[in-house]
Amino acid sequence: MEINEEREYLIQTIKVLDKKLNLCKEKLKKNKERFKEGIKNLGEDYSEISRGGDLSNSFTSLGLMQAEEQLNEHEEKRLNLQKDNPYFARIDFKPKNKKNVQKIYIGIGNVLDDKKIYVADWRAPISSMYYDYSLGEASFSIDNQIYCGNIELKRQYKIEEGNLISFFDTDLTINDDILQEILSKNVSIKMKQIVSSIQKEQNAIVRCDTNENMLVQGIAGSGKTSIALHRAAYLLYKHRKQIKSNDITILSPNNIFSSYISDVLPQLGEDNLVETTFASLARAELKKAIQTREEMLDEIATSPTQELLNEVSYKSSYEYLDDLLRFLKGPFLETYSPQTLSFVVSENMDGDKETIDFTSEQTKELFFKTFKGYDFYERINKIAWQYAMYFTERRHYSKEQNRGLRDRFKTILYQFLPVRDIDKIFEIFMAREGYKTPKGKKINYMDKGTWLAIKHFVYGMDHDFSAKYLIIDEMQDFTPVDFYMFKKIWSCPKIMVGDVNQCIEKNVTDEYLTITADFLGCKLTKLNKTYRSTKEIAQFANHLVGLDNIEFVNRSGSNPAVYKTNSPAQAIKNIIENECENLEHIAIVCKCQKEANALYKDLKNIIDCKLLINPEDYDSKVLITSCATAKGIEFDAVIIPNCEKSSYKNTVDKNIIYVSSTRALHKLFFTYSDEKSKFISELEEIVL
């Protein structure tokens, strides 16, 4: 009987969705006709301009029509998406002191008809109970008012293409059977939305206070990136009148990762965010080429000299940031040496001149005392403004003339700085710290933040990168100088997510995390449960780096396997054909890009594969890539080739194996030819 009731409710909900879709299409059709008519009328009335007519109302009307069309298109997209799977859960909630039970169906968006709520948006306050409570007492809040009651039923649905496949009653946030089914599937080429499986600790991050800065330390596979994107979707829902998708910026590790996550918000019926990388931002501001992170990691992976590792460690420390700021605010500022400025403002017939003078002492007083505490460019701006205003008051200049005066004063005041080129300032700072400045046209990856900090301190920023919310992914890959610039560039609330265990080039401690959270004014949250890999893969990876407090979903699979072979390419072909037959996405994750390029040359003639360079390459079933590029992405199976003792021997190498291994959902393989690395010595060996 109950199955019939559920099927009938689904049919009714789909009818409402169809009705909404038809209304939406009709609105779009009428809106297009109105817009077309408005353009025609505007063209006919354009001659009014020559007669002094005002067309501003016409342009405003067209703008409103365009905005309405965008809203309708957005709604149509969401309704089409929801029609295939109208809802994924239901809770029966009995409010305190009430007799009737409310049946609340939960989906990716609200479905209402004649004031009846068929489906509640997963982001609505009442839906939070599904994620936060088991059966029994529960509550939710709206505008600081708390509503209490009891959850009498929690039900989860499997609906495909509008058909009810099954449903389960459970006392948990998400039934283990459903979670197992979700996790056991093959990986998609795009990251998927996870609204039906968000856990309580993840939901707390998604729904936390809008203005609270957060730093989320989440182990590999804990869902931290997906949760950050779902938080963006939540903010777009909660503050839909104040925040649009283009008001939210996400800093991604690279363009391939940006492509990988690009479907999450569209799957939730939202538009994509503004995506960029910090290196791209720095390139735009500095107008110079910047070494990629992948290039930097390749250098460390192939020739990790102690000198290089020491430099990376130093530049990754708060000590380095302190040294940089002390230099800029101390020795560098002390080189500023203004001279007296004298301007002739009038001259009589006898040759007597009236001047306006700004003495060197006057400028020094303003620069070193009055505006002490400001960055260099701010001091110059304030002095230029003050001098221009004084000049204007004496000569009665217009606002436009005053603006020109300020710019002229700024140019003159900058000339009293002996060294003005950013590259020269950087070179002087590095020499003071005992480091040589690298030769070449590219800025080293580790130095981009320093260059940007110097540029900002001396000249300010040329571009406006402002946002209303900022998402920073792979936070462990950034340096304290980078964090300093994040504070300078973005004053909006932020969420930073990452995993210190996946930092390849340096060791990051819990103390560093705490310091970073304090520095950025963030609430520190830790996610210690992985939902990605099988138990066997998770246990191997965690043991490798000494993680003993990690939880994982008890999803079993085969043990990671090691293959000894004299022909690595042939061994990989055999593994793919014999062990990965039913898998859809297999990655051969090499130590560095040079190794990946060489392996691709050997493999491309015997199997269908691609070298992962561009986002579109990710569509291939078999990919060859480096650890640095694969970071953040997941695959059904991972093969790590050439795991020789001579190649994987130090801490950096161990970190590379950890990051590469944690990309695998179902299967993990290693190959070697001579003598295997100590990091895989305990794994079962197969001789080919």
Side-chain angles (χ1 to χ4, degrees):
M1 185 67 182
E2 198 166 18
I3 183 71
N4 292 332
E5 290 177 1
E6 288 289 7
R7 282 178 178 150
E8 182 58 32
Y9 192 86
L10 179 60
I11 290 167
Q12 290 300 317
T13 304
I14 291 173
K15 283 181 180 178
V16 173
L17 284 165
D18 280 331
K19 178 182 174 182
K20 296 284 182 186
L21 267 169
N22 289 332
L23 284 171
C24 211
K25 288 173 182 176
E26 188 63 31
K27 283 182 183 178
L28 278 168
K29 182 181 177 183
K30 287 181 179 179
N31 191 276
K32 287 181 188 296
E33 289 172 355
R34 284 170 53 218
F35 189 79
K36 189 176 179 180
E37 186 67 23
I39 290 288
K40 180 183 175 184
N41 292 337
L42 183 62
E44 291 172 352
D45 296 342
Y46 209 75
S47 60
E48 289 291 319
I49 291 176
S50 61
R51 298 195 295 271
D54 184 4
L55 298 180
S56 60
N57 287 337
S58 298
F59 281 112
T60 300
S61 178
L62 288 174
L64 290 172
M65 276 189 257
Q66 274 191 313
E68 186 181 346
E69 183 176 358
Q70 287 175 347
L71 286 172
N72 285 325
E73 285 175 344
H74 183 276
E75 181 68 358
E76 184 186 31
K77 181 173 68 175
R78 196 266 298 174
L79 290 169
N80 274 317
L81 193 67
Q82 196 162 359
K83 190 178 171 183
D84 283 342
N85 188 2
Y87 46 82
F88 54 83
R90 164 186 155 191
I91 55 173
D92 289 3
F93 179 67
K94 185 179 180 184
K96 193 174 182 180
N97 301 323
K98 300 281 185 180
K99 289 184 179 180
N100 295 331
V101 173
Q102 299 177 4
K103 294 180 181 180
I104 302 153
Y105 288 79
I106 301 168
I108 65 167
N110 291 314
V111 181
L112 297 86
D113 188 45
D114 294 331
K115 296 183 180 180
K116 179 178 178 179
I117 302 174
Y118 281 81
V119 182
D121 193 296
W122 68 277
R123 297 163 288 189
I126 199 168
S127 302
S128 66
M129 293 188 293
Y130 165 71
Y131 301 104
D132 289 340
Y133 293 99
S134 299
L135 296 181
E137 291 184 3
S139 65
F140 66 98
S141 64
I142 301 176
D143 297 330
N144 296 321
Q145 185 171 349
I146 299 175
Y147 298 86
C148 300
N150 276 274
I151 294 177
E152 297 188 349
L153 179 139
K154 291 186 73 170
R155 181 167 288 174
Q156 293 147 32
Y157 300 89
K158 185 178 180 182
I159 300 172
E160 294 177 358
E161 297 180 352
N163 296 310
L164 179 62
I165 308 301
S166 61
F167 62 85
F168 303 86
D169 290 346
T170 178
D171 188 27
L172 305 172
T173 301
I174 177 165
N175 185 280
D176 282 345
D177 292 337
I178 294 180
L179 186 58
Q180 291 277 14
E181 183 181 350
I182 291 169
L183 298 176
S184 63
K185 288 181 178 178
N186 286 333
V187 70
S188 165
I189 63 168
K190 301 280 189 180
M191 182 183 281
K192 295 291 185 183
Q193 53 94 342
I194 58 168
V195 287
S196 64
S197 61
I198 291 173
Q199 303 296 294
K200 183 176 181 178
E201 70 277 8
Q202 297 171 326
N203 189 50
I205 298 169
V206 170
R207 296 174 188 264
C208 92
D209 183 81
T210 305
N211 294 316
E212 188 168 29
N213 291 322
M214 289 185 290
L215 193 161
V216 180
Q217 156 57 34
I219 63 161
S222 58
K224 52 191 175 294
T225 300
S226 188
I227 291 303
L229 294 172
H230 283 68
R231 172 151 179 76
Y234 172 74
L235 293 174
L236 290 170
Y237 172 84
K238 185 177 181 182
H239 303 287
R240 47 194 173 276
K241 291 183 180 178
Q242 293 84 31
I243 301 178
K244 305 302 179 189
S245 57
N246 58 5
D247 294 324
I248 302 177
T249 294
I250 177 168
L251 290 187
S252 298
N254 53 51
N255 292 332
I256 290 170
F257 186 76
S258 295
S259 174
Y260 175 60
I261 65 174
S262 63
D263 268 9
V264 174
L265 286 171
Q267 288 168 32
L268 295 167
E270 299 291 354
D271 294 325
N272 265 324
L273 314 177
V274 177
E275 290 182 54
T276 186
T277 65
F278 191 48
S280 296
L281 181 151
R283 265 195 303 273
E285 192 66 27
L286 298 169
K287 299 176 179 63
K288 286 180 73 74
I290 297 173
Q291 179 191 38
T292 65
R293 177 167 176 77
E294 289 77 10
E295 289 169 338
M296 185 268 287
L297 289 178
D298 271 9
E299 185 181 353
I300 289 175
T302 54
S303 53
T305 65
Q306 194 57 49
E307 183 182 8
L308 175 60
L309 293 175
N310 289 344
E311 184 175 343
V312 167
S313 178
Y314 173 52
K315 290 179 178 178
S316 301
S317 69
Y318 280 94
E319 177 190 358
Y320 177 79
L321 172 61
D322 290 341
D323 290 342
L324 174 62
L325 296 180
R326 267 196 295 267
F327 164 73
L328 291 174
K329 296 176 181 181
F332 173 71
L333 280 184
E334 288 164 9
T335 66
Y336 190 66
S337 183
Q339 305 298 311
T340 296
L341 299 174
S342 184
F343 302 92
V344 176
V345 292
S346 66
E347 184 176 359
N348 61 24
M349 298 295 290
D350 297 327
D352 298 325
K353 298 175 182 177
E354 181 190 355
T355 63
I356 293 178
D357 299 318
F358 303 107
T359 66
S360 60
E361 289 73 19
Q362 188 178 351
T363 305
K364 285 179 182 177
E365 178 74 18
L366 290 169
F367 187 88
F368 289 106
K369 293 184 179 179
T370 306
F371 301 127
K372 182 181 180 181
Y374 289 99
D375 287 349
F376 183 91
Y377 80 95
E378 292 173 307
R379 300 186 195 199
I380 296 297
N381 287 346
K382 288 179 179 295
I383 296 171
W385 178 84
Q386 190 161 316
Y387 284 180
M389 286 303 295
Y390 181 78
F391 214 102
T392 300
E393 288 166 5
R394 291 283 301 272
R395 304 301 300 169
H396 304 292
Y397 278 55
S398 66
K399 285 185 178 180
E400 288 73 21
Q401 289 171 318
N402 179 265
R403 194 176 296 114
L405 271 176
R406 274 185 287 167
D407 291 341
R408 185 181 172 193
F409 271 118
K410 280 171 61 176
T411 301
I412 294 169
L413 290 167
Y414 265 109
Q415 290 175 1
F416 300 139
L417 185 65
V419 181
R420 295 186 291 276
D421 293 337
I422 298 169
D423 55 344
K424 296 295 182 185
I425 299 168
F426 174 75
E427 192 175 330
I428 292 167
F429 170 65
M430 293 303 292
R432 284 173 59 91
E433 300 305 311
Y435 290 97
K436 294 178 182 177
T437 306
K439 295 180 180 179
K441 294 182 180 179
K442 275 188 179 181
I443 297 173
N444 275 5
Y445 177 83
M446 292 299 296
D447 295 328
K448 67 186 184 307
T450 305
W451 274 72
L452 208 55
I454 293 171
K455 164 72 167 54
H456 179 272
F457 184 81
V458 180
Y459 296 104
M461 300 286 280
D462 295 332
H463 298 81
D464 180 9
F465 298 105
S466 60
K468 291 183 179 178
Y469 197 78
L470 179 69
I471 299 171
I472 302 167
D473 205 354
E474 301 291 351
M475 126 348 251
Q476 75 281 353
D477 292 346
F478 295 107
T479 69
V481 176
D482 297 335
F483 298 146
Y484 170 78
M485 287 310 303
F486 295 162
K487 289 175 69 173
K488 288 287 186 180
I489 297 170
W490 293 284
S491 58
C492 62
K494 307 170 183 67
I495 181 170
M496 301 177 61
V497 300
D499 178 17
V500 295
N501 305 297
Q502 294 184 61
C503 195
I504 293 171
E505 74 276 16
K506 58 183 184 284
N507 289 322
V508 183
T509 63
D510 280 346
E511 182 185 14
Y512 177 88
L513 271 178
T514 304
I515 293 170
T516 300
D518 289 342
F519 179 71
L520 293 168
C522 289
K523 174 187 176 184
L524 177 59
T525 302
K526 295 184 179 181
L527 299 175
N528 290 322
K529 187 170 184 177
T530 178
Y531 299 92
R532 177 183 294 150
S533 305
T534 61
K535 178 178 71 174
E536 289 77 9
I537 294 172
Q539 285 178 330
F540 162 76
N542 294 338
H543 178 70
L544 187 68
V545 292
L547 292 175
D548 54 10
N549 62 337
I550 302 306
E551 299 176 54
F552 46 81
V553 177
N554 194 19
R555 181 172 68 89
S556 291
S558 55
N559 288 316
V562 179
Y563 286 80
K564 183 174 183 179
T565 175
N566 291 324
S567 174
Q570 190 60 47
I572 290 169
K573 181 177 185 292
N574 291 341
I575 291 169
I576 291 170
E577 291 176 349
N578 299 326
E579 302 289 343
C580 306
E581 185 180 1
N582 298 320
L583 302 180
E584 293 179 14
H585 291 283
I586 301 143
I588 303 157
V589 184
C590 300
K591 185 177 182 181
C592 62
Q593 193 60 45
K594 183 179 178 181
E595 182 184 287
N597 294 341
L599 187 60
Y600 176 65
K601 287 181 180 178
D602 293 338
L603 276 173
K604 67 180 180 179
N605 295 321
I606 59 173
I607 60 170
D608 184 12
C609 61
K610 273 194 177 179
L611 195 62
L612 183 55
I613 297 173
N614 301 307
E616 56 269 22
D617 298 331
Y618 190 68
D619 295 352
S620 178
K621 177 177 179 175
V622 180
L623 290 168
I624 303 171
T625 184
S626 68
C627 173
T629 303
K631 200 171 182 186
I633 306 175
E634 56 187 30
F635 306 91
D636 292 323
V638 166
I639 303 169
I640 304 175
N642 305 319
C643 281
E644 313 294 327
K645 179 181 179 181
S646 57
S647 184
Y648 288 92
K649 55 190 176 184
N650 57 35
T651 302
V652 169
D653 301 330
K654 180 174 70 174
N655 293 343
I656 290 172
I657 289 183
Y658 174 77
V659 172
S660 301
S661 298
T662 54
R663 303 306 93 213
L665 274 79
H666 310 303
K667 294 191 175 185
L668 175 62
F669 307 96
F670 300 86
T671 72
Y672 79 100
S673 299
D674 269 338
E675 189 176 354
K676 65 182 173 184
S677 166
K678 61 183 178 182
F679 302 127
I680 59 170
S681 60
E682 296 179 6
L683 296 178
E684 178 187 356
E685 184 173 308
I686 301 166
V687 179
L688 289 178

